[in-house]
Amino acid sequence: MDSHDYADGYYAMPGITLNFCKELHKLDWISLENTDYEDVDWYELDGRLELFNTYKFAVKFALHKALKKLMSQNKFSKINAINPLHFLIQEYDEEVYPLLFME
């Protein structure tokens, strides 16, 4: 498995797939197997970073809206938390971005 780190324990919990991210699965190497594009190194294509950054922003915005809605419905009142409560998101080895601060 080369030199990649793989998550285990708490960090390997099942995730969610947002509907608008499903289109990115078309770029997955498994999806490209046995197609005309299986030898294309799409990591080197112009616009890849811009495409990914657009999806990353959309994911963060969707999660922010969902958390804000839950907060307005007082759904967090029963969780064991200390104020202020912060919801953050971080990709593996990436920066941490705030999604919602509750004070």
Side-chain angles (χ1 to χ4, degrees):
M1 293 201 175
D2 295 333
S3 62
H4 297 289
D5 294 329
Y6 292 92
D8 58 5
Y10 171 78
Y11 296 103
M13 301 279 297
I16 60 171
T17 300
L18 300 174
N19 286 335
F20 57 81
C21 292
K22 287 184 180 180
E23 292 298 316
L24 288 177
H25 291 283
K26 293 178 183 177
L27 297 176
D28 186 82
W29 67 272
I30 294 172
S31 300
L32 297 176
E33 276 187 331
N34 302 317
T35 70
D36 293 339
Y37 305 103
E38 73 177 327
D39 293 325
V40 173
D41 187 2
W42 60 272
Y43 277 97
E44 300 298 325
L45 296 178
D46 289 338
R48 180 188 67 86
L49 288 177
E50 291 81 2
L51 175 67
F52 277 20
N53 287 337
T54 301
Y55 274 93
K56 287 178 187 181
F57 175 81
V59 166
K60 292 170 194 162
F61 185 64
L63 290 173
H64 167 77
K65 284 179 28 178
L67 289 171
K68 190 174 176 181
K69 182 176 181 178
L70 291 171
M71 182 182 73
S72 71
Q73 296 172 351
N74 205 28
K75 298 290 185 181
F76 299 122
S77 63
K78 294 182 182 178
I79 64 173
N80 186 12
I82 299 171
N83 284 335
L85 176 61
H86 298 177
F87 289 90
L88 310 170
I89 188 170
Q90 178 185 23
E91 289 181 65
Y92 182 77
D93 284 346
E94 296 285 333
E95 292 184 46
V96 175
Y97 295 95
L99 293 176
L100 183 70
F101 293 146
M102 295 174 51
E103 304 212 21

